[in-house]
Amino acid sequence: MPDIRVGELPTSPAPRLRLKLIGAMDAWSVSSERVLPRVRKTRAVLAILALAAPKPVSRQKLSGLLWSTRDREQARASLRQALHELSLTLAPCGPPLLHADRDQVWLDADAVWVDALQVVRVEPVSPALLDLLDGTLLEGFEGLDPAMDAWLVTQRRSFRDQARGAIERLLEATTDFEGRIEVAQRLLALDEAHEVAWRALIEAHAARGERSRALEAFESCRSALARLLKATPSPETLALAESLRAGGEPEVRPPPPSEIKVAPKRSVARGARLGVAPLRALGNADEADFAIGLAEEITTALARFRWIAVVSSGSLARLGETASDPEALRAALDLDFLLAGTVQRDEARVRVSLRLLDLHAGGEVVWAQRFDQPAADLLALQDEIAAAVVARIDPEILLIEARRAAVAPGRDASAHALVLSAIPAIYRLEKESFLKAGQMLEEAIAREPDDATAHAWYAYWHIFYVGQGWAPDQAEAMARAGRLAERAILLDPQDARAFAIAGHVRAYLHRRLDEAMVLHERAISLNPNLPMAWVLSGVAHAYAGDHEEALRRILRYRRLSPLDPHAFFFDVALEIAYLLSGRYDEAIELGRQLTEVHPGLSAAWKPYVAALALAGRTAEAEAAAQRLLAIEPGFTVERFLASAPFVRDEDRERYARGLREAGIPET
């Protein structure tokens, strides 16, 4: 067996407070406990101090921004109350982060991570940091105070300018054509009239031999400049377009040969890019309103999946007829997938038909589904359909992107492509390819040490490594899984999948169920439509002995994603919950299905064997036990009891008794 090891993880102290100020504000301690103040003005105080750190802010300025309509003494009293609340709220973060004297207030800047500062302060800027730009700075803080409203306008303008400068520097430093296309598009999303970005986009398409896409980009540039600035392209941009029309080769500085060689396709390098087309209403104005609302709900729900970049239906609508042309969409917005569909409604029912198109395959339909439901509560119906759609297309896109990544040579693959290539090998559970998946994840982390996704999936890999009995040193493998999971959530406190995996590591491998449940709740709050978050949360409740809640959560996963390609693994959790709650017939039927489809999955055999024995089906139990021992020769009741994470003695004993009666050796 190859020796698979993770490099030393950074030992520098992690921030004790993480603040999200882009979009809806949020705050967590290092242990993932939510520490967002309850009162909006107290939240505003925290945000103002965080954006100013490490510089102090005067008490006069704080009271003037948030209580400008009150007299001086009332304003200062309100500020004192807000600071007191803030101190209490931040207590879970450890030693005091908030400091104050008679005149000033400040935060311990070294102990606070702020998303809005990462893009504008970190040098060199990495493409991954650009994901932080999705959203408005301090969204929803309008109306607190007239002075605060004016301050918000100034701060947002300043942030936008600083972010634009960071992306401009990244564009200047990026030499591979694929990378320049991605960065230029990010810059244009921030400033549609940025002619330098348009020119970089035109040149990159031209250098790749995509003359028609280069000319389409030029026309988009000309239209944007005319609409926004009442201006025409510069002579340099016009000359570039004329050269393209004449069939000549425009002068474009080529990147070094090595960079051309290793540059991956954008979707494989950084995640899939999906557009939500305006849904077509086949009827009256009420249907049109429902279609608009549903498209917005789907866009919002998809945006919670960190590895998918979403382009809204509003953006696609501005393209007019182009929005129905797969090639034109790829040229205009560099999309990989398009979600499109129709809405019909009568007095009693709503019918929504949706399809997912792979734009790399000429618009091939890779997923389609129809929802036909009562039209009683349209808002609830929008939520329900949006949740089902995103939960079902996420694994579809993941598999397609994994196949796309697998065709790239291993030595040229990006970290993200390596992760994508590893995921199917993890779930196949064939030992040789599984170990190779571990090596790919190890290499992904070596190439991008700050990639949260790679750390999360490598922690997940270690769960199977231990569970299948393949780890020669289980204690070391469990410890490594913990380090990887902790690192993943520190690197990206918005990644629901990372929190779900970190929670499962603590529950299954480390038996720290209270901490696991906190992490699972965080995962569900970040992305309530992520099936993995529900099923792994259900597993933790099964370990804790709350079998009804475990079944509720695991069945929620099944409703969200009934055709999940990885259901065989997640259904093991349901099998265990059935066993522990005494529903042996259901555990047996599910176990039979799982072991027939995936006979090498030892985790499915164990509850199946125990359920058969406890149901009195002794001969079948003994035969199944022999199959289990052939897969995992060292498995014993003693080994099961040593590793079983169940809290209640009766659960452990029920499971162990079934294994004994089936013929699993005691030691």
Side-chain angles (χ1 to χ4, degrees):
M1 181 184 301
D3 182 25
I4 301 175
R5 295 198 173 273
V6 142
E8 287 299 315
L9 299 178
T11 57
S12 57
R16 292 185 283 116
L17 171 66
R18 284 183 167 262
L19 286 177
K20 174 179 176 288
L21 302 184
I22 301 175
M25 183 178 178
D26 215 335
W28 317 276
S29 71
V30 70
S31 61
S32 301
E33 181 176 348
R34 197 162 189 249
V35 290
L36 186 68
R38 180 178 55 84
V39 178
R40 287 178 70 213
K41 287 199 175 183
T42 306
R43 295 180 185 182
V45 169
L46 177 57
I48 293 167
L49 294 173
L51 290 175
K55 296 179 180 179
V57 180
S58 70
R59 288 176 178 267
Q60 183 178 353
K61 179 176 180 179
L62 286 170
S63 58
L65 284 174
L66 292 164
W67 294 278
S68 67
T69 58
R70 297 185 183 181
D71 64 48
R72 182 178 177 182
E73 287 307 313
Q74 285 183 321
R76 290 180 69 87
S78 296
L79 176 60
R80 284 195 298 272
Q81 183 178 347
L83 293 174
H84 177 67
E85 182 197 351
L86 186 55
S87 296
L88 295 177
T89 305
L90 298 181
C93 298
L97 296 171
L98 184 66
H99 306 279
D101 59 22
R102 182 182 179 85
D103 300 314
Q104 297 178 318
V105 185
W106 65 96
L107 283 176
D108 183 353
D110 292 336
V112 181
W113 180 95
V114 183
D115 61 350
L117 302 182
Q118 294 304 299
V119 174
V120 297
R121 288 187 181 176
V122 174
E123 292 288 352
V125 179
S126 72
L129 285 177
L130 299 184
D131 291 336
L132 297 177
L133 285 171
D134 297 333
T136 302
L137 183 69
L138 293 174
E139 183 179 290
F141 274 74
E142 298 84 355
L144 286 177
D145 188 282
M148 181 68 177
D149 288 343
W151 180 86
L152 276 174
V153 171
T154 302
Q155 290 296 311
R156 287 170 179 169
R157 184 185 300 119
S158 174
F159 174 70
R160 185 183 181 88
D161 291 343
Q162 289 178 299
R164 181 168 51 237
I167 304 176
E168 287 171 344
R169 293 192 297 276
L170 180 59
L171 181 62
E172 186 176 350
T174 303
T175 53
D176 67 276
F177 298 131
E178 298 286 350
R180 285 180 69 77
I181 288 173
E182 180 180 5
V183 179
Q185 288 172 333
R186 282 298 188 121
L187 188 48
L188 290 169
L190 199 63
D191 182 359
E192 193 182 354
H194 201 297
E195 190 175 357
V196 172
W198 281 115
R199 195 156 54 243
L201 189 63
I202 296 166
E203 290 174 341
H205 281 310
R208 292 170 56 189
E210 299 168 342
R211 189 177 303 277
S212 62
R213 297 183 74 177
L215 287 170
E216 287 172 4
F218 168 74
E219 292 301 328
S220 297
C221 168
R222 181 160 61 180
S223 173
L225 292 175
R227 185 176 73 258
L228 299 172
L229 302 179
K230 302 293 189 285
T232 58
S234 67
E236 185 178 357
T237 305
L238 291 171
L240 182 60
E242 286 304 315
S243 176
L244 287 166
R245 291 195 184 99
E249 292 295 331
E251 291 187 14
V252 180
R253 180 186 59 157
S258 60
E259 293 188 22
I260 296 175
K261 179 180 179 181
V262 303
K265 292 291 184 184
R266 184 213 54 75
S267 61
V268 172
R270 286 289 169 193
R273 189 169 169 85
L274 181 147
V276 179
L279 299 180
R280 192 157 53 93
L282 305 178
N284 57 35
D286 290 340
E287 292 176 21
D289 291 342
F290 178 80
I292 292 169
L294 179 57
E296 290 176 350
E297 285 295 330
I298 291 173
T299 300
T300 301
L302 279 168
R304 294 175 181 265
F305 290 85
R306 300 289 284 168
W307 75 283
I308 299 176
V310 187
V311 178
S312 70
S313 58
S315 298
L316 268 67
R318 289 197 290 271
L319 296 175
E321 296 181 1
T322 301
S324 61
D325 182 345
E327 285 303 315
L329 277 176
R330 284 192 64 200
L333 297 173
D334 198 23
L335 295 182
D336 302 304
F337 298 93
L338 178 70
L339 185 67
T342 59
V343 173
Q344 287 180 282
R345 178 186 167 194
D346 59 24
E347 291 183 0
R349 302 191 69 79
V350 171
R351 173 175 293 176
V352 178
S353 299
L354 296 168
R355 59 192 185 279
L356 181 68
L357 311 180
D358 184 352
L359 302 186
H360 288 270
E364 175 186 349
V365 177
V366 292
W367 174 87
Q369 189 154 346
R370 189 177 75 185
F371 300 87
D372 198 347
Q373 300 191 24
D377 185 340
L378 292 181
L379 291 179
L381 186 58
Q382 284 180 359
D383 292 343
E384 182 180 343
I385 293 176
V389 169
V390 301
R392 295 172 195 184
I393 67 174
D394 170 58
E396 295 290 341
I397 294 175
L398 190 64
L399 288 178
I400 293 169
E401 290 288 275
R403 288 195 294 269
R404 195 134 55 214
V407 304
R411 63 189 178 87
D412 290 346
S414 69
H416 186 70
L418 287 167
V419 173
L420 286 173
S421 299
I423 291 170
I426 292 175
Y427 285 115
R428 280 199 299 272
L429 285 179
E430 298 166 353
K431 191 171 182 180
E432 183 178 351
S433 61
F434 177 84
L435 295 176
K436 189 174 292 185
Q439 292 172 334
M440 286 190 282
L441 292 168
E442 171 79 13
E443 177 62 23
I445 291 173
R447 294 188 183 193
E448 289 196 27
D450 292 338
D451 189 323
T453 303
H455 284 80
W457 280 104
Y458 202 15
Y460 197 50
W461 179 92
H462 279 81
I463 294 171
F464 289 93
Y465 194 37
V466 173
Q468 287 290 103
W470 290 338
D473 185 342
Q474 292 209 347
E476 169 57 22
M478 291 164 65
R480 191 179 303 157
R483 292 196 300 270
L484 288 160
E486 294 292 336
R487 181 68 176 154
I489 61 177
L490 284 174
L491 286 169
D492 188 352
Q494 292 291 297
D495 190 339
R497 200 185 307 268
F499 275 92
I501 292 172
H504 192 54
V505 167
R506 292 196 195 182
Y508 175 62
L509 298 182
H510 300 152
R511 307 187 196 180
R512 290 151 57 185
L513 284 175
D514 290 343
E515 296 174 22
M517 288 183 180
V518 171
L519 293 172
H520 287 312
E521 292 307 314
R522 176 72 184 142
I524 290 169
S525 69
L526 284 170
N527 189 350
N529 303 317
L530 179 65
M532 177 188 283
W534 285 102
V535 73
L536 295 183
S537 171
V539 170
H541 281 274
Y543 293 160
D546 188 353
H547 305 312
E548 289 305 313
E549 181 62 15
L551 286 169
R552 186 187 74 81
R553 288 173 181 253
I554 296 169
L555 291 172
R556 168 67 177 163
Y557 134 75
R558 274 198 152 192
R559 287 193 298 274
L560 277 173
S561 189
L563 301 177
D564 192 315
H566 304 139
F568 72 90
F569 169 67
F570 294 146
D571 280 349
V572 172
L574 184 58
E575 188 185 4
I576 293 171
Y578 282 146
L579 169 70
L580 297 180
S581 58
R583 296 164 64 169
Y584 301 137
D585 289 342
E586 289 161 287
I588 289 168
E589 177 58 26
L590 186 54
R592 181 187 61 77
Q593 296 172 14
L594 290 172
T595 54
E596 285 180 356
V597 176
H598 291 277
L601 181 60
S602 66
W605 283 100
K606 294 169 186 175
Y608 180 42
V609 166
L612 284 168
L614 293 170
R617 296 163 63 166
T618 307
E620 293 174 78
E622 290 174 349
Q626 292 307 306
R627 294 285 301 275
L628 169 59
L629 291 172
I631 298 166
E632 196 174 327
F635 183 65
T636 64
V637 175
E638 182 181 58
R639 182 171 169 181
F640 163 76
L641 289 172
S643 61
F646 306 111
V647 170
R648 300 197 316 172
D649 290 340
E650 53 265 47
D651 289 338
R652 294 160 58 84
E653 182 49 41
R654 182 198 297 264
Y655 205 142
R657 178 162 55 88
L659 295 173
R660 287 191 190 98
E661 292 178 5
I664 298 296
E666 188 71 28
T667 60

